[in-house]
Amino acid sequence: MIARTAPDRPPLSCASDAPLTGATLEHAPEPRDGMRWTSGTLNAHWYVAALSRQVTGQRPFASTVMEEPLVLFRGTDGRATALRDRCLHRNAQLSEGDVFDGCIGCPYHGWTYDATGACITVPSEGPDATPAIARRVERFPTVEQDGLVWVWLGDPDDASSAPEPFRLPGVGQDGWRSYMMLTEFDGDVTDLVENFMDVPHTAFVHAGWFRKAGMAKRAEATVERTKGAVHVEYFQPDDSIGFSRRLLNPDGAPMTHTDRFFMPNVTRVDYMWGSRRGFVITSQITPVTRDRALVYTCIAFRFGAFNPVARLLLPAYTRIVINQDVRIMANQTANLRRHGGRRFHGTEADVIHRAIESLRDHALAGEPAPPPEPFSTRIAFWM
Ligand code: FES
Ligand SMILES: [Fe+2]
């Protein structure tokens, strides 16, 4: 005789034998096993979820941060709102629905949520009914600045006392021009930060575009790690990069170069010639999954009379250079996925990588102990 087994289907989350009513058919608690919940304190920061112009009062905008699906739109007051992109009813994606009157309607059965996430209409309960019970889809704190919409995935009570999101250098400042580039990358945030702060790769990945391979120049730098940042200052005044001499540094002023990392996901690279010319590349890395990211790169530059021509030429140039990084990061990530885990070997140039990793690993572990001790050191390497 074949024994009957329990059905695979999990039981309804409602209470036992009570008659099934709307009130007893509420959702079970959401599982807390996604990246947002398993990344230590890394969720307690502002992350870019969208460009301001992508978020409107006419249509929903879908975004994913730390594996959390979000839908963004504007309420009647024009403020950006970010809700969990998952209808409470049968879990359809709200981002496939409609935005109207500062609310979003689910495309499946029409449940409607206002900008606070409160469900205000359930069509199956009748046109005049107030919803039988209070239902609310999760809403995430947002901040809008510098043309970006940022979300907070940590404890919402902590958002109001958290430092404001990183301010983009050069944006809106006298003499500066800027533009934003969005790029999807394979790679986790730590590996991407390291790539954006890594000098030795430029002679290979960007050979001929950024630096030339085989020039064998010695570089010295100071590396400083603080509680939440890594600051690298290079001493290579005769260094030159791609286009600098020909177009943008006609005076031949010595170049200064600093690279900075700010926890948990921002890099800032400054190249300046004298005090009046130069450019700053700021990368905000939004983790989509554990090894996929959307990078918001802000290129701000100050080239005096060359500003208009730089605005015309730089986007194509920077797109080529960034795409070269996309390919090398896909290369590295494929191997990390295939073989699992990091087994890196280091050189003196990799002191920078290890300083970045130490801060991110500490946060990833939930900050169980005091942060890594600050240090400052001088390194030398060839590139
Ligand atoms: S799944 Fe959204 S209303 Fe039914
Ligand atoms: Fe690069």
Side-chain angles (χ1 to χ4, degrees), residues 56 58-62 71-73 94-99 104:
T56 71
Q58 284 77 50
R59 65 194 69 83
F61 180 76
V71 58
L72 293 100
F73 60 98
L94 299 172
S95 56
E96 300 280 321
D98 294 316
V99 172
I104 187 161

Side-chain angles (χ1 to χ4, degrees), residues 93-110:
Q93 296 169 55
L94 299 172
S95 56
E96 300 280 321
D98 294 316
V99 172
F100 51 90
D101 302 333
C103 298
I104 187 161
C106 178
Y108 198 174
H109 311 94

